[in-house]
Amino acid sequence: MCEKSKKVSQWLTSVFGDQPVPQYEVNTRTVDILYELAVASEKRCNETALLIEDHKQKASEYQADAAHLQDVVLQGVGLSAGSLSKPSSDYLSALVSSAMVLGIKDTSLGSFIPAMNNLTNELLEAEKYDRKLDRELKAVRKRLADTLVLRKTLQEDLDKTKDAQAIESAKAEERLLNMDFVKAKSKDLSFRNNMSADQLAKRHMENRLSHQSLMELSEEVATLKQEIVPLTKKLEPYRDLSPLSLAQVKIEEAKRELAAIDAELEAKVDFMNASIPKGRPL
């Protein structure tokens, strides 16, 4: 426990440096956690130090290889590092950088041209793909605009449907209320009708004195009155005659009717005789 506490104190002091170490509760659990953190931190620091040393060593090796290659190249063309002017050195550096960017093995023209062609083809393909994406983007924007318009239309239709539904619901509720009122009224009228029927039965009410029978009699009386009107008009000329004169008139009318009937009978007999062939008995 003392060794862990000492290790934790040293680690905290190295971490915070000149700043004071924050106060913390010293117990077994806290010390164990901080000790694990200290060990992990020390391990990570050691690994980082080894990685830094490795990178430094590789950088030194790369610098030595670059200086060697530079000397070899310059000696191959009959030049030295000190004989190059600053513009030439800058051009050479730009050439090397371009070769590294293009990923070619050397700086010859035979390597640069295919690399540039490949880069040009990649650029054309990228531009073609960019145009394709631009067309797809325009199509997506158009579909989005159409979708937004459709959504707005659907929202308006939905609002109208909700309003119409609310109106229909209010009408349905009103009809239900009216129906309830009609049912209650019908029930009340049925109850009153039954009570009236019971009262009429107790009073021995005849059917001929019912409202329906009286209405039918009233209609029959009105019909008879209509039938009497032409007869009354027909008798008006005889209203001023005395009973004897009226009887004579009736007799004369009966005689005329009898004479008309006799004449009609004789005419029919004559017609029949005329229609029967001669020599044939009637």
Side-chain angles (χ1 to χ4, degrees):
M1 184 66 182
C2 294
E3 293 180 358
K4 289 184 178 181
S5 299
K6 184 177 180 181
K7 181 75 173 178
V8 168
S9 299
Q10 293 176 355
W11 176 67
L12 291 174
T13 302
S14 62
V15 169
F16 288 98
D18 297 335
Q19 297 179 0
V21 178
Q23 297 292 329
Y24 63 92
E25 183 179 356
V26 180
N27 52 41
T28 304
R29 186 171 179 278
T30 306
V31 172
D32 289 339
I33 294 173
L34 292 175
Y35 180 77
E36 292 177 0
L37 291 175
V39 172
S41 178
E42 185 177 357
K43 183 178 179 181
R44 181 62 61 85
C45 290
N46 292 333
E47 292 176 354
T48 304
L50 292 174
L51 186 61
I52 292 172
E53 291 295 331
D54 183 63
H55 286 173
K56 288 181 179 180
Q57 184 177 356
K58 287 182 179 180
S60 300
E61 293 175 357
Y62 290 153
Q63 289 178 358
D65 291 340
H68 175 70
L69 291 174
Q70 184 178 4
D71 292 338
V72 171
V73 171
L74 292 176
Q75 288 177 4
V77 295
L79 298 174
S80 62
S83 61
L84 291 175
S85 61
K86 187 177 184 307
S88 300
S89 179
D90 294 339
Y91 292 151
L92 183 61
S93 299
L95 185 63
V96 173
S97 300
S98 300
M100 292 178 65
V101 170
L102 293 174
I104 56 179
K105 61 182 179 179
D106 53 35
T107 58
S108 62
L109 189 61
S111 298
F112 266 105
I113 291 177
M116 293 297 294
N117 290 334
N118 292 333
L119 191 61
T120 302
N121 292 332
E122 292 177 0
L123 178 62
L124 294 176
E125 289 294 330
E127 291 177 351
K128 181 179 178 182
Y129 184 70
D130 184 65
R131 289 193 296 271
K132 179 182 177 182
L133 290 179
D134 187 60
R135 290 194 299 270
E136 292 179 354
L137 180 60
K138 290 180 180 178
V140 170
R141 287 178 177 174
K142 185 177 182 301
R143 288 197 298 270
L144 179 60
D146 295 339
T147 303
L148 292 176
V149 173
L150 180 60
R151 181 180 181 276
K152 183 179 179 181
T153 304
L154 292 176
Q155 186 64 39
E156 292 177 353
D157 294 340
L158 180 61
D159 295 337
K160 291 179 181 178
T161 303
K162 287 182 178 179
D163 295 338
Q165 185 178 6
I167 295 172
E168 290 297 328
S169 178
K171 290 182 178 179
E173 186 176 359
E174 184 178 358
R175 285 195 292 268
L176 288 175
L177 294 175
N178 293 334
M179 186 180 296
D180 294 338
F181 174 76
V182 170
K183 286 181 179 180
K185 192 66 176 177
S186 176
K187 186 176 180 181
D188 181 60
L189 291 176
S190 178
F191 178 73
R192 291 184 180 182
N193 189 17
N194 293 332
M195 289 183 62
S196 299
D198 293 339
Q199 291 178 0
L200 291 175
K202 291 179 180 179
R203 296 175 182 177
H204 304 288
M205 181 69 179
E206 297 180 1
N207 292 330
R208 62 187 181 86
L209 297 178
S210 64
H211 178 73
Q212 183 66 27
S213 299
L214 294 176
M215 290 297 295
E216 292 177 357
L217 289 174
S218 177
E219 291 177 359
E220 292 178 0
V221 170
T223 304
L224 291 175
K225 286 182 178 180
Q226 293 295 329
E227 293 177 355
I228 291 173
V229 170
L231 297 176
T232 304
K233 291 182 179 179
K234 189 175 181 181
L235 291 175
E236 284 181 357
Y238 305 104
R239 291 182 183 274
D240 297 335
L241 297 176
S242 62
L244 181 59
S245 300
L246 182 59
Q248 291 177 355
V249 170
K250 290 292 183 181
I251 292 171
E252 291 296 330
E253 288 181 355
K255 287 180 179 181
R256 285 195 298 271
E257 290 179 0
L258 182 59
I261 292 172
D262 291 338
E264 184 179 358
L265 182 60
E266 289 177 359
K268 288 183 178 179
V269 171
D270 294 338
F271 178 75
M272 292 174 64
N273 292 329
S275 301
I276 297 173
K278 293 181 178 180
R280 186 175 179 180
L282 181 59

